[in-house]
Amino acid sequence: MLLFKRNKILLIVLLFVEIAFAQQFPSTNFSTIDGLSNNSVYSIYKDSRGVLWVGTANGLSAIQNGSAKNYFTSDGLAHNSCWAIIEDANHNMWFGSHGGGLTFYDGQNFVVINQKNGLIHDKIRRLFIHNNLLYVGTEFGVSVLDIKTHRIIFSKKIVGCRSLFQVMDFVEINSKIYFGTFNDGFWRIDLGTKSIKLINHKQPDIFSLHKKDDSLFICRGDGIDKAISKISIKDYLADKDSNINFGSSIFWNFATDKRGVTYLAANAINFATGGIFKTVNNKIINLNNEFGVETSEVWSLYYDSQTDNLYVGTNNKGLYKIDLKEQIKYYPASFYKKTKLNVVSLENKQNQNLILHDDGLLFLKGEKITKEITKSMFCDFMRNWLRRNDVYLNFDQNVNLNEKRLKDLELKDVQVINSVIWVNSTIGLFGINNEGLIKIYYPFSVSAFGFINSNKIIYQIAYGKFYKSDDYKDNKGFEIYELTDENTPRDVFSILPLNGKHYMFSSSGGLYTFQNDKPYSYCFNKIWNEKELVQAKINNKKELVIANSFGDVFIIDVSKGFKIIKKIDRKQLIGNSISFLECYKDCLFIGTEKGLNVYKNGTVRLIDKEQGLVAKTFTSSNINGTVLTMGTQDGYYDFDFKNYISTKNIPRKIKITGIEVNFEAINQKRFKWFGYDSNRIRLPYNENTISIAFEPQNAQYPNKLEYRYRVIGLTNSNWSKWTKDKNVNLTYLPNGNYKIRLETKDLFSGAISSNDILKIQITPPFWKTWWFLLGSFVFICIGLYVIYRNRIRTIKNQERAKAEVQKRLAETKMEALQSQMNPHFIFNAMNSIQNYIIDNNTDDALMYMGEFSKIIRQTLNNSSAQRIALSNEIEYLQSYIKLENMRFKNQVEFELIIDEELDLFETEIPPMLIQPFIENVFVHAFDSHSVNPKLILWFKQRDNYLFCEIIDNGKGMMSGGLNKLHASKGIDLAKERIALFQEDNENPISISSNPNEGTTVVLKLQN
């Protein structure tokens, strides 16, 4: 018993010694806190869709991108304890439970196959698929199921030595299927004869099997150094025993990665020797510390060759994902058997990596220390050198031999200049040769230095002045540049030579140059105003790459003056403070508190703890070839970025995992394999608040994905902000056709991919549909047309009737007026004849009556006409004037004036319109006392009006008489006639008269 305890302690010590200096791999733990159904993980499988299935003691979890969906018996599982998972050639899933039988899942429905369906037993431990057949290992034997028909074609139940026949694992050898049992040895299944055959019974206890190349690994128990037997397949099938044994735990599962490394899941029964292991030269090495697995109860393994991840299932801590790619290797202090390793500066010289840390300088080849110069060795060399060269103590900025100062020695920087390794410290500048021996010392306590040539040096004293020495080797030619000169550098942290100049970078004064023994300030001379610089490098194009304290990075061309080629704004980078800066071709490596930013052609990629870069406080950096070394306060990281920067961008596929409409999930039958089964959805107008959940497919680092979306087809739809939220929320979407365009930005690869994830059709209400609108439009048009036709018909009928009435009224009134005028004229004519008879003037009476009869005939002819030619009217008027003039014994001189442009035959006027005004002339204008009476009748055309002027030189009248004239019946009748035919003719008759000067009447008629 004592020997056993000693062996056990020795084993544990050896294990810890083996892992004490191991690297650490990036790992992620997923437990019930993160959504796992239970922390006891019995089985793991990643299917062809990228879904990670995890069988636990209480439920089945389907994990995508860190999110779990859990299934239980209430969802259709045969049992909540899931011990085995596998995928068939049709990409359907099979789950073996320990108590409920087998469950088939086609992406939508669960189907249970158990003892009622012919299964040998419901407690299943292992599943295995070969040639479209499913082999089911149970506690009391094995069953074989035809995957196409779901029929059990073979079952064999055996009661073994412990009243069990528990199948523990399957293995395929030369297209034949074998299985190992708990107590009853190793068997082969023969479907041809419907039988099983015992192949090896040398060591009957078998917990697990693993085939690698031409060998078998067989776990037999947890005996010290005898848990695993390794034997060639040929010998084992020949019933031989193994002579290679190692391991001291029970190993329940194996997995081999693409590098050929085999991993083992261990959980001992009798001893606490479990954990995650790997085999190396027939030995096992514990990887718990290296993988960050915080339990010794490891049960299941699964290796994903696509992502190079190892999944580790435990009995009490849930699931671990281990990234095996080793893109980033971490070397903590313990790797070099040190208690601390605060890296100050990094450099490389030929095949050696130089690591300057708080306590000294390490020379490395590969991962091994070949030489080390401790802090005390630097101090001893300085003491001895100063004793031999005490002349250097005379210069005021040199260090002095002060033990307290030596005790507080700080190593600041390491550089390789002219094949010499220079180490800068608070006690001076040390020069080291290739063999790692200190050969040079100068007591210059500097914050930055640069060699102009082999004898000339410039340097900045920490928090002090700036110096130049033309012969620093002999402590001569020193020159101090006073800080009162604004061109003098101050707080310089780095000096770099470029194009014959030395560029100096200050944390408070910005950029300086030193040329021809003169410093020059870019800030003071207003060339560049940036003052607070923190990092500076020179890229392969001989350009300055400078970072300021605010997080901006500038690329500056100084070959021909000063020109900023590019400014990388702090908003483009992930992180606020820049702790290091390195250049490689067209890439920039920028360290911040968030991790490593890799900038190339405007794209920023991020590497952080997901890839194994856990530390966020970087102290230094260096690039050697394609390896970036990043120093921290406890060790350093090596990142070989060769494959990383040449990685091809693969478009990201997106799957819709959920849709809610008006805050209710749509029919789950529309989903298969956690994804919506269509790329479109059609919804009515009142179901227009939509929430869409999505997941990227096979995302290796889902935490580095960011998303934004826009709605194509929606007016003024802009891109949403970048976010990690995997939901699209649309509220009150108007009717129409839309596409949801999603952009995915991968911060690991730098790729931005675009996907149209869903087409949405919101149907309008029936009153907005095209057929309803078209029908309504047609109906309205027809109605309006009918109304229009009826209205037009009514209006036409009304207008026609009105016109007829008006016409008849006008004709009747005209006839009435003419009938009124004719008697009036006849009365005047008869009165004239009467006067001739009274005067016994028979001849004149007869002639008058002749003219009168002629006028009567013309009057009768014209009285029935609405309008007559002006020529007829003039002829009529001439006859009338002649008749009337006879009463005045032809004393009235008559003059007729007609404008030449007036067409007498085409121009028409109402008949007998002018006659009353001629009559007034003879009745009222002249009497027996009138001298040279004269009547003028003047017709003229002006624009669209015919003007007729009746002018006499009679006795005229006063205004009172004029009013009487206006009121005469003949004139009123004339006005009324004109108004009937020319309603818009304003002031058609105007009369002007003065006593003894005559009267003028003007008629205005529209043509």
Side-chain angles (χ1 to χ4, degrees), residues 435-450:
E435 286 72 34
L437 301 176
I438 304 174
K439 293 294 184 179
I440 307 170
Y441 172 75
Y442 297 104
F444 309 147
S445 178
V446 301
S447 60
F449 64 94

Side-chain angles (χ1 to χ4, degrees), residues 754-773:
S754 179
N755 294 275
D756 291 338
I757 60 174
L758 186 65
K759 295 179 181 178
I760 301 175
Q761 182 184 12
I762 304 295
T763 60
F766 74 90
W767 60 85
K768 288 186 178 180
T769 57
W770 68 269
W771 54 266
F772 180 82
L773 294 175

Side-chain angles (χ1 to χ4, degrees), residues 824-892:
H824 180 70
F825 168 70
I826 293 170
F827 172 78
N828 289 335
M830 292 302 292
N831 190 32
S832 297
I833 294 172
Q834 183 181 4
N835 289 334
Y836 280 120
I837 294 173
I838 292 172
D839 292 338
N840 294 315
N841 190 349
T842 305
D843 294 333
D844 288 340
L846 291 174
M847 185 176 61
Y848 191 91
M849 287 187 68
E851 289 295 330
F852 175 68
S853 62
K854 180 181 178 182
I855 290 174
I856 289 298
R857 185 168 55 253
Q858 289 177 333
T859 300
L860 292 174
N861 290 335
N862 294 339
S863 63
S864 60
Q866 298 294 325
R867 300 175 74 87
I868 63 173
L870 181 58
S871 59
N872 293 336
E873 180 69 9
I874 291 173
E875 182 182 355
Y876 173 79
L877 292 175
Q878 287 176 326
S879 296
Y880 176 76
I881 291 171
K882 181 178 180 182
L883 187 64
E884 286 286 10
N885 203 8
M886 288 177 65
R887 292 194 300 116
F888 285 86
K889 300 184 186 311
N890 294 321
Q891 292 179 2
V892 178

